[in-house]
Amino acid sequence: MQAAIARYPKDRQRSAAMPLLHLWQEHFGFISDAGVNWIAAKLGLQPINILELVTFYPMYRQQPAGRKHIRVCRTLSCAMAGSYDLMQRAREIAAGDPNISVEFVECLASCGTAPVCMIDDELHENVDPHSIVDLVRNQQPIVRPRPEPHRLEHRLIFKNIGRRDWKIDIDTYVADGGYEQLKKALTMSRAEIINEVKTSGLRGRGGAGFPCGVKWSFIKPDEKKPVYLICNADESEPGTFKDRYIIHEDPHQMLEGMLISAYAVNAKTAYIYIRGEFPEGAQILENAIEEARAKNFLGQNILGKGFDCEIYIHRGAGAYICGEETGLIESLEGKRAYPRIKPPYFPAVLGLYMCPTIVNNVETLCHVKHIIAMGGAQYAQLGRPNNTGTRIVCVSGDVQRPGYFEIEVGKVTMGQLIYEMAGGTKPGRMLKAVIPGGSSAKVLRADERFKIKDRQPDGSTIEREMFIDELPMDFDSLAAAGSMAGSGGVIVLDDSRDMVWVLNNINEFYAHESCGQCTPCREGSLWMKKITDRMMLGGGVVEDPKTLKTIGDNIAGRTICAFGEACAWPTQSFVEKFPDEFAARAKKPIPPPLPPELTPEELIEDRQVPVRPLAHDPGWEKAGAAGTI
């Protein structure tokens, strides 16, 4: 615990609250009241400052789990692959063994090997529901061979992923040319590095696609306050699973990119905010940091160039909202992850501890190393104008070969990605829809036509109409098609999928993950889930599709952070693109009766709850088949 506290400034020890809670839970199995009080006293805080974290972050428990604890992923890709059957089987096992506990959890970032579950801290992939008993008894993950890179791939970041001759230790990395780019960067000025990154055209790979070099240039060269760099490794967007492989199989590439970036923005301290569901990844990074420090790539006077930099690991605890950069900063400061209002709280001006802070995604930071190696101008030759370089796309759902692919941005079309690289839809099935950028991206129908402006070599643009198969996989084309590239998580839906069921699964995720700070999002995400729940149970009323869209419209653009859009866009697009399916589940003229209002004690004592008609007439019965009041 003392070592964990020492990772943060002496006057900012509240930041150690989450690491201490992790240590306490790992030792005792859960967070007791005594643990809350002890940690609060240790950090000079009030118990409520600790309790608010325990009740906010899903991974902290106030009751002990079983001796073996099973966490089954329930988000879209896993649900499509059978995680609900897996959950049912796990519950049956737990019912007969008091030493086993089980829970549904949100995305475990392994969508390409769905369905997945974690047993204690071990991830198990492609789990057959009938094999869960064997997994519980013999907790050895099955190691499956990785496919060779596809001919359409262009691997930079993933060059070492899946290599049979590759080890993750620093000696293997250095022998392969590792840390040479750090040596080169330390001979350059900070302005030169930032200019190379600007020249490269690198856009952030975490979702927003903001130009990386421009973000770095917001840091003043003569900044008097400490500058911080944060690596956002809280990959929580359903459908996205690229960071897991970088962290697990090439951690030094990420550290080298971070060190070059820290030098460029003059940051002496950097933090890796890694999601709590990556316990093995956190340990791999801890080991890599110690290896780098032993060879003077990290720490004081790096390589004798007078540059000092420390990198520390900070584990999250299961909150999707920490992927938003200001929510992440609040969490890193030891608070609930409530995003900040921008302006004035732009991280580059008022970030961690109210100091200038740069927050970049794992993949973005890895690209920096390759930009230094190639030069910004040569890197910009990869991909398309304004969409330069490579990016990793993750394909999951109804395809024959789900997985990760590193492509030149815009040089591969949606059709090539789905049919050539991912093996196409399953036998006998047709493509119905695609979610191109993680679950928060707007869905695209397979039979839509899109008007896309193609930039010509002479700088002019020509508008072309194209089908979904022809869409280039780049930021601008997907935005023009009405969706977004997002985090690169491509979820494929075939003609067997019920779109109300798909949206209900997505709505459940966002209702669970809303931080609750903004009323439109807190209330709206839950009501969208309640309505699609009701539609799935046969209680949908004629006004429900319209109500769903109205709720989404009243969330988007009315919240502090982009989570409002993330939870609203799926509802807006699914209801608009598949009206017949939603209308088919919305036929009742009035809502079903409501349960009576009972006290918590009555709800616990009574095994059944009677229902009664609405206390007043809302006018629904006048709507009739026309659906208007």
Side-chain angles (χ1 to χ4, degrees), residues 34-61:
V36 168
N37 293 330
W38 193 94
I39 292 171
K42 184 76 174 171
L43 298 178
L45 302 171
Q46 295 298 317
I48 188 63
N49 300 136
I50 305 302
L51 183 62
E52 69 171 348
L53 305 182
V54 178
T55 56
F56 182 85
Y57 294 95
M59 290 186 70
Y60 295 133
R61 295 188 295 268

PDB file of all heavy atoms in Angstrom, residues 34-61:
ATOM      1  N   ALA A  34     -15.006  -1.805   7.654  1.00  0.00           N
ATOM      2  CA  ALA A  34     -13.702  -1.596   8.300  1.00  0.00           C
ATOM      3  C   ALA A  34     -12.657  -1.192   7.255  1.00  0.00           C
ATOM      4  O   ALA A  34     -11.798  -0.331   7.518  1.00  0.00           O
ATOM      5  CB  ALA A  34     -13.265  -2.866   9.024  1.00  0.00           C
ATOM      6  N   GLY A  35     -12.731  -1.805   6.055  1.00  0.00           N
ATOM      7  CA  GLY A  35     -11.798  -1.453   4.992  1.00  0.00           C
ATOM      8  C   GLY A  35     -11.991  -0.016   4.525  1.00  0.00           C
ATOM      9  O   GLY A  35     -11.018   0.710   4.297  1.00  0.00           O
ATOM     10  N   VAL A  36     -13.250   0.390   4.383  1.00  0.00           N
ATOM     11  CA  VAL A  36     -13.550   1.769   3.986  1.00  0.00           C
ATOM     12  C   VAL A  36     -12.952   2.746   4.996  1.00  0.00           C
ATOM     13  O   VAL A  36     -12.280   3.718   4.635  1.00  0.00           O
ATOM     14  CB  VAL A  36     -15.079   1.969   3.857  1.00  0.00           C
ATOM     15  CG1 VAL A  36     -15.419   3.451   3.727  1.00  0.00           C
ATOM     16  CG2 VAL A  36     -15.618   1.186   2.661  1.00  0.00           C
ATOM     17  N   ASN A  37     -13.186   2.483   6.276  1.00  0.00           N
ATOM     18  CA  ASN A  37     -12.688   3.386   7.325  1.00  0.00           C
ATOM     19  C   ASN A  37     -11.161   3.394   7.383  1.00  0.00           C
ATOM     20  O   ASN A  37     -10.540   4.445   7.571  1.00  0.00           O
ATOM     21  CB  ASN A  37     -13.266   2.972   8.684  1.00  0.00           C
ATOM     22  CG  ASN A  37     -14.766   3.197   8.761  1.00  0.00           C
ATOM     23  OD1 ASN A  37     -15.296   4.100   8.113  1.00  0.00           O
ATOM     24  ND2 ASN A  37     -15.461   2.375   9.527  1.00  0.00           N
ATOM     25  N   TRP A  38     -10.548   2.221   7.221  1.00  0.00           N
ATOM     26  CA  TRP A  38      -9.092   2.112   7.330  1.00  0.00           C
ATOM     27  C   TRP A  38      -8.422   2.877   6.184  1.00  0.00           C
ATOM     28  O   TRP A  38      -7.469   3.637   6.406  1.00  0.00           O
ATOM     29  CB  TRP A  38      -8.673   0.640   7.301  1.00  0.00           C
ATOM     30  CG  TRP A  38      -7.245   0.425   7.706  1.00  0.00           C
ATOM     31  CD1 TRP A  38      -6.779   0.128   8.954  1.00  0.00           C
ATOM     32  CD2 TRP A  38      -6.094   0.489   6.847  1.00  0.00           C
ATOM     33  NE1 TRP A  38      -5.405   0.010   8.932  1.00  0.00           N
ATOM     34  CE2 TRP A  38      -4.951   0.236   7.657  1.00  0.00           C
ATOM     35  CE3 TRP A  38      -5.908   0.751   5.502  1.00  0.00           C
ATOM     36  CZ2 TRP A  38      -3.664   0.210   7.133  1.00  0.00           C
ATOM     37  CZ3 TRP A  38      -4.614   0.736   4.983  1.00  0.00           C
ATOM     38  CH2 TRP A  38      -3.514   0.466   5.799  1.00  0.00           C
ATOM     39  N   ILE A  39      -8.936   2.668   4.938  1.00  0.00           N
ATOM     40  CA  ILE A  39      -8.341   3.341   3.782  1.00  0.00           C
ATOM     41  C   ILE A  39      -8.545   4.850   3.885  1.00  0.00           C
ATOM     42  O   ILE A  39      -7.643   5.643   3.571  1.00  0.00           O
ATOM     43  CB  ILE A  39      -8.925   2.770   2.471  1.00  0.00           C
ATOM     44  CG1 ILE A  39      -8.461   1.321   2.289  1.00  0.00           C
ATOM     45  CG2 ILE A  39      -8.506   3.617   1.263  1.00  0.00           C
ATOM     46  CD1 ILE A  39      -9.138   0.585   1.141  1.00  0.00           C
ATOM     47  N   ALA A  40      -9.733   5.275   4.341  1.00  0.00           N
ATOM     48  CA  ALA A  40      -9.989   6.702   4.503  1.00  0.00           C
ATOM     49  C   ALA A  40      -8.999   7.324   5.479  1.00  0.00           C
ATOM     50  O   ALA A  40      -8.420   8.387   5.214  1.00  0.00           O
ATOM     51  CB  ALA A  40     -11.426   6.924   4.985  1.00  0.00           C
ATOM     52  N   ALA A  41      -8.774   6.660   6.612  1.00  0.00           N
ATOM     53  CA  ALA A  41      -7.836   7.177   7.610  1.00  0.00           C
ATOM     54  C   ALA A  41      -6.417   7.207   7.051  1.00  0.00           C
ATOM     55  O   ALA A  41      -5.649   8.150   7.287  1.00  0.00           O
ATOM     56  CB  ALA A  41      -7.898   6.328   8.873  1.00  0.00           C
ATOM     57  N   LYS A  42      -6.064   6.177   6.281  1.00  0.00           N
ATOM     58  CA  LYS A  42      -4.724   6.075   5.702  1.00  0.00           C
ATOM     59  C   LYS A  42      -4.436   7.253   4.764  1.00  0.00           C
ATOM     60  O   LYS A  42      -3.309   7.763   4.711  1.00  0.00           O
ATOM     61  CB  LYS A  42      -4.605   4.759   4.925  1.00  0.00           C
ATOM     62  CG  LYS A  42      -3.237   4.470   4.344  1.00  0.00           C
ATOM     63  CD  LYS A  42      -2.289   4.005   5.415  1.00  0.00           C
ATOM     64  CE  LYS A  42      -0.959   3.569   4.836  1.00  0.00           C
ATOM     65  NZ  LYS A  42       0.039   3.310   5.907  1.00  0.00           N
ATOM     66  N   LEU A  43      -5.482   7.698   4.048  1.00  0.00           N
ATOM     67  CA  LEU A  43      -5.295   8.765   3.054  1.00  0.00           C
ATOM     68  C   LEU A  43      -5.747  10.128   3.557  1.00  0.00           C
ATOM     69  O   LEU A  43      -5.732  11.103   2.800  1.00  0.00           O
ATOM     70  CB  LEU A  43      -6.068   8.412   1.776  1.00  0.00           C
ATOM     71  CG  LEU A  43      -5.625   7.127   1.058  1.00  0.00           C
ATOM     72  CD1 LEU A  43      -6.498   6.859  -0.149  1.00  0.00           C
ATOM     73  CD2 LEU A  43      -4.157   7.201   0.642  1.00  0.00           C
ATOM     74  N   GLY A  44      -6.153  10.192   4.807  1.00  0.00           N
ATOM     75  CA  GLY A  44      -6.595  11.469   5.362  1.00  0.00           C
ATOM     76  C   GLY A  44      -7.896  11.959   4.761  1.00  0.00           C
ATOM     77  O   GLY A  44      -8.115  13.165   4.606  1.00  0.00           O
ATOM     78  N   LEU A  45      -8.804  11.017   4.432  1.00  0.00           N
ATOM     79  CA  LEU A  45     -10.089  11.353   3.825  1.00  0.00           C
ATOM     80  C   LEU A  45     -11.234  10.984   4.756  1.00  0.00           C
ATOM     81  O   LEU A  45     -11.035  10.317   5.775  1.00  0.00           O
ATOM     82  CB  LEU A  45     -10.253  10.602   2.499  1.00  0.00           C
ATOM     83  CG  LEU A  45      -9.178  10.839   1.426  1.00  0.00           C
ATOM     84  CD1 LEU A  45      -9.377   9.864   0.267  1.00  0.00           C
ATOM     85  CD2 LEU A  45      -9.232  12.274   0.911  1.00  0.00           C
ATOM     86  N   GLN A  46     -12.430  11.385   4.378  1.00  0.00           N
ATOM     87  CA  GLN A  46     -13.626  10.953   5.085  1.00  0.00           C
ATOM     88  C   GLN A  46     -14.075   9.593   4.540  1.00  0.00           C
ATOM     89  O   GLN A  46     -13.897   9.317   3.338  1.00  0.00           O
ATOM     90  CB  GLN A  46     -14.753  11.970   4.906  1.00  0.00           C
ATOM     91  CG  GLN A  46     -14.474  13.328   5.530  1.00  0.00           C
ATOM     92  CD  GLN A  46     -14.308  13.224   7.046  1.00  0.00           C
ATOM     93  OE1 GLN A  46     -15.069  12.529   7.717  1.00  0.00           O
ATOM     94  NE2 GLN A  46     -13.292  13.902   7.564  1.00  0.00           N
ATOM     95  N   PRO A  47     -14.675   8.745   5.371  1.00  0.00           N
ATOM     96  CA  PRO A  47     -15.139   7.438   4.862  1.00  0.00           C
ATOM     97  C   PRO A  47     -16.045   7.547   3.638  1.00  0.00           C
ATOM     98  O   PRO A  47     -15.993   6.695   2.748  1.00  0.00           O
ATOM     99  CB  PRO A  47     -15.883   6.840   6.064  1.00  0.00           C
ATOM    100  CG  PRO A  47     -15.208   7.445   7.254  1.00  0.00           C
ATOM    101  CD  PRO A  47     -14.839   8.836   6.838  1.00  0.00           C
ATOM    102  N   ILE A  48     -16.854   8.613   3.559  1.00  0.00           N
ATOM    103  CA  ILE A  48     -17.749   8.753   2.404  1.00  0.00           C
ATOM    104  C   ILE A  48     -16.961   8.901   1.110  1.00  0.00           C
ATOM    105  O   ILE A  48     -17.428   8.480   0.039  1.00  0.00           O
ATOM    106  CB  ILE A  48     -18.701   9.963   2.612  1.00  0.00           C
ATOM    107  CG1 ILE A  48     -19.770  10.004   1.518  1.00  0.00           C
ATOM    108  CG2 ILE A  48     -17.928  11.280   2.620  1.00  0.00           C
ATOM    109  CD1 ILE A  48     -20.687   8.829   1.497  1.00  0.00           C
ATOM    110  N   ASN A  49     -15.743   9.465   1.162  1.00  0.00           N
ATOM    111  CA  ASN A  49     -14.912   9.599  -0.037  1.00  0.00           C
ATOM    112  C   ASN A  49     -14.503   8.236  -0.597  1.00  0.00           C
ATOM    113  O   ASN A  49     -14.284   8.099  -1.813  1.00  0.00           O
ATOM    114  CB  ASN A  49     -13.656  10.413   0.257  1.00  0.00           C
ATOM    115  CG  ASN A  49     -13.943  11.820   0.736  1.00  0.00           C
ATOM    116  OD1 ASN A  49     -13.332  12.308   1.682  1.00  0.00           O
ATOM    117  ND2 ASN A  49     -14.910  12.482   0.099  1.00  0.00           N
ATOM    118  N   ILE A  50     -14.397   7.257   0.286  1.00  0.00           N
ATOM    119  CA  ILE A  50     -14.058   5.895  -0.149  1.00  0.00           C
ATOM    120  C   ILE A  50     -15.315   5.119  -0.512  1.00  0.00           C
ATOM    121  O   ILE A  50     -15.359   4.412  -1.525  1.00  0.00           O
ATOM    122  CB  ILE A  50     -13.266   5.158   0.949  1.00  0.00           C
ATOM    123  CG1 ILE A  50     -12.030   5.975   1.360  1.00  0.00           C
ATOM    124  CG2 ILE A  50     -12.856   3.767   0.483  1.00  0.00           C
ATOM    125  CD1 ILE A  50     -11.075   6.281   0.218  1.00  0.00           C
ATOM    126  N   LEU A  51     -16.354   5.267   0.307  1.00  0.00           N
ATOM    127  CA  LEU A  51     -17.593   4.536   0.047  1.00  0.00           C
ATOM    128  C   LEU A  51     -18.194   4.925  -1.304  1.00  0.00           C
ATOM    129  O   LEU A  51     -18.766   4.076  -1.992  1.00  0.00           O
ATOM    130  CB  LEU A  51     -18.606   4.804   1.169  1.00  0.00           C
ATOM    131  CG  LEU A  51     -19.930   4.032   1.067  1.00  0.00           C
ATOM    132  CD1 LEU A  51     -19.672   2.525   1.138  1.00  0.00           C
ATOM    133  CD2 LEU A  51     -20.901   4.464   2.158  1.00  0.00           C
ATOM    134  N   GLU A  52     -18.058   6.174  -1.702  1.00  0.00           N
ATOM    135  CA  GLU A  52     -18.632   6.593  -2.987  1.00  0.00           C
ATOM    136  C   GLU A  52     -17.939   5.879  -4.153  1.00  0.00           C
ATOM    137  O   GLU A  52     -18.558   5.666  -5.199  1.00  0.00           O
ATOM    138  CB  GLU A  52     -18.539   8.108  -3.159  1.00  0.00           C
ATOM    139  CG  GLU A  52     -17.142   8.661  -3.340  1.00  0.00           C
ATOM    140  CD  GLU A  52     -17.140  10.146  -3.727  1.00  0.00           C
ATOM    141  OE1 GLU A  52     -18.221  10.654  -4.065  1.00  0.00           O
ATOM    142  OE2 GLU A  52     -16.061  10.759  -3.677  1.00  0.00           O
ATOM    143  N   LEU A  53     -16.687   5.495  -3.975  1.00  0.00           N
ATOM    144  CA  LEU A  53     -15.998   4.730  -5.017  1.00  0.00           C
ATOM    145  C   LEU A  53     -16.493   3.286  -5.030  1.00  0.00           C
ATOM    146  O   LEU A  53     -16.713   2.698  -6.098  1.00  0.00           O
ATOM    147  CB  LEU A  53     -14.486   4.753  -4.783  1.00  0.00           C
ATOM    148  CG  LEU A  53     -13.813   6.126  -4.672  1.00  0.00           C
ATOM    149  CD1 LEU A  53     -12.311   5.951  -4.481  1.00  0.00           C
ATOM    150  CD2 LEU A  53     -14.090   6.965  -5.911  1.00  0.00           C
ATOM    151  N   VAL A  54     -16.664   2.705  -3.862  1.00  0.00           N
ATOM    152  CA  VAL A  54     -17.104   1.308  -3.753  1.00  0.00           C
ATOM    153  C   VAL A  54     -18.472   1.129  -4.397  1.00  0.00           C
ATOM    154  O   VAL A  54     -18.738   0.120  -5.062  1.00  0.00           O
ATOM    155  CB  VAL A  54     -17.131   0.866  -2.274  1.00  0.00           C
ATOM    156  CG1 VAL A  54     -17.646  -0.569  -2.147  1.00  0.00           C
ATOM    157  CG2 VAL A  54     -15.738   0.974  -1.667  1.00  0.00           C
ATOM    158  N   THR A  55     -19.349   2.106  -4.216  1.00  0.00           N
ATOM    159  CA  THR A  55     -20.705   1.989  -4.757  1.00  0.00           C
ATOM    160  C   THR A  55     -20.801   2.411  -6.214  1.00  0.00           C
ATOM    161  O   THR A  55     -21.797   2.117  -6.871  1.00  0.00           O
ATOM    162  CB  THR A  55     -21.690   2.831  -3.924  1.00  0.00           C
ATOM    163  OG1 THR A  55     -21.235   4.189  -3.878  1.00  0.00           O
ATOM    164  CG2 THR A  55     -21.788   2.290  -2.497  1.00  0.00           C
ATOM    165  N   PHE A  56     -19.795   3.089  -6.741  1.00  0.00           N
ATOM    166  CA  PHE A  56     -19.829   3.562  -8.130  1.00  0.00           C
ATOM    167  C   PHE A  56     -19.198   2.564  -9.090  1.00  0.00           C
ATOM    168  O   PHE A  56     -19.728   2.304 -10.172  1.00  0.00           O
ATOM    169  CB  PHE A  56     -19.101   4.911  -8.235  1.00  0.00           C
ATOM    170  CG  PHE A  56     -19.108   5.508  -9.618  1.00  0.00           C
ATOM    171  CD1 PHE A  56     -20.176   6.277 -10.041  1.00  0.00           C
ATOM    172  CD2 PHE A  56     -18.048   5.313 -10.498  1.00  0.00           C
ATOM    173  CE1 PHE A  56     -20.194   6.843 -11.319  1.00  0.00           C
ATOM    174  CE2 PHE A  56     -18.056   5.866 -11.769  1.00  0.00           C
ATOM    175  CZ  PHE A  56     -19.132   6.635 -12.180  1.00  0.00           C
ATOM    176  N   TYR A  57     -18.052   2.002  -8.732  1.00  0.00           N
ATOM    177  CA  TYR A  57     -17.297   1.128  -9.632  1.00  0.00           C
ATOM    178  C   TYR A  57     -17.741  -0.322  -9.455  1.00  0.00           C
ATOM    179  O   TYR A  57     -17.624  -0.886  -8.364  1.00  0.00           O
ATOM    180  CB  TYR A  57     -15.794   1.271  -9.379  1.00  0.00           C
ATOM    181  CG  TYR A  57     -15.267   2.641  -9.729  1.00  0.00           C
ATOM    182  CD1 TYR A  57     -15.132   3.639  -8.756  1.00  0.00           C
ATOM    183  CD2 TYR A  57     -14.926   2.962 -11.035  1.00  0.00           C
ATOM    184  CE1 TYR A  57     -14.658   4.903  -9.078  1.00  0.00           C
ATOM    185  CE2 TYR A  57     -14.461   4.233 -11.375  1.00  0.00           C
ATOM    186  CZ  TYR A  57     -14.333   5.187 -10.392  1.00  0.00           C
ATOM    187  OH  TYR A  57     -13.874   6.443 -10.719  1.00  0.00           O
ATOM    188  N   PRO A  58     -18.249  -0.967 -10.524  1.00  0.00           N
ATOM    189  CA  PRO A  58     -18.866  -2.291 -10.402  1.00  0.00           C
ATOM    190  C   PRO A  58     -17.949  -3.401  -9.901  1.00  0.00           C
ATOM    191  O   PRO A  58     -18.436  -4.400  -9.366  1.00  0.00           O
ATOM    192  CB  PRO A  58     -19.323  -2.593 -11.831  1.00  0.00           C
ATOM    193  CG  PRO A  58     -19.405  -1.279 -12.510  1.00  0.00           C
ATOM    194  CD  PRO A  58     -18.359  -0.417 -11.881  1.00  0.00           C
ATOM    195  N   MET A  59     -16.636  -3.255 -10.081  1.00  0.00           N
ATOM    196  CA  MET A  59     -15.754  -4.361  -9.707  1.00  0.00           C
ATOM    197  C   MET A  59     -15.497  -4.459  -8.201  1.00  0.00           C
ATOM    198  O   MET A  59     -15.000  -5.480  -7.727  1.00  0.00           O
ATOM    199  CB  MET A  59     -14.422  -4.250 -10.454  1.00  0.00           C
ATOM    200  CG  MET A  59     -14.545  -4.522 -11.942  1.00  0.00           C
ATOM    201  SD  MET A  59     -12.954  -4.569 -12.786  1.00  0.00           S
ATOM    202  CE  MET A  59     -12.278  -6.104 -12.140  1.00  0.00           C
ATOM    203  N   TYR A  60     -15.830  -3.410  -7.457  1.00  0.00           N
ATOM    204  CA  TYR A  60     -15.660  -3.480  -6.006  1.00  0.00           C
ATOM    205  C   TYR A  60     -16.881  -4.161  -5.390  1.00  0.00           C
ATOM    206  O   TYR A  60     -18.025  -3.855  -5.753  1.00  0.00           O
ATOM    207  CB  TYR A  60     -15.474  -2.086  -5.407  1.00  0.00           C
ATOM    208  CG  TYR A  60     -14.202  -1.391  -5.857  1.00  0.00           C
ATOM    209  CD1 TYR A  60     -14.226  -0.064  -6.279  1.00  0.00           C
ATOM    210  CD2 TYR A  60     -12.986  -2.063  -5.874  1.00  0.00           C
ATOM    211  CE1 TYR A  60     -13.072   0.584  -6.705  1.00  0.00           C
ATOM    212  CE2 TYR A  60     -11.820  -1.431  -6.304  1.00  0.00           C
ATOM    213  CZ  TYR A  60     -11.871  -0.115  -6.721  1.00  0.00           C
ATOM    214  OH  TYR A  60     -10.723   0.513  -7.142  1.00  0.00           O
ATOM    215  N   ARG A  61     -16.641  -5.067  -4.463  1.00  0.00           N
ATOM    216  CA  ARG A  61     -17.719  -5.830  -3.832  1.00  0.00           C
ATOM    217  C   ARG A  61     -17.823  -5.487  -2.352  1.00  0.00           C
ATOM    218  O   ARG A  61     -16.809  -5.368  -1.669  1.00  0.00           O
ATOM    219  CB  ARG A  61     -17.460  -7.333  -3.951  1.00  0.00           C
ATOM    220  CG  ARG A  61     -17.463  -7.875  -5.352  1.00  0.00           C
ATOM    221  CD  ARG A  61     -17.397  -9.393  -5.339  1.00  0.00           C
ATOM    222  NE  ARG A  61     -16.139  -9.875  -4.799  1.00  0.00           N
ATOM    223  CZ  ARG A  61     -15.055 -10.151  -5.520  1.00  0.00           C
ATOM    224  NH1 ARG A  61     -15.084  -9.974  -6.832  1.00  0.00           N
ATOM    225  NH2 ARG A  61     -13.948 -10.585  -4.956  1.00  0.00           N
TER     226      ARG A  61
END
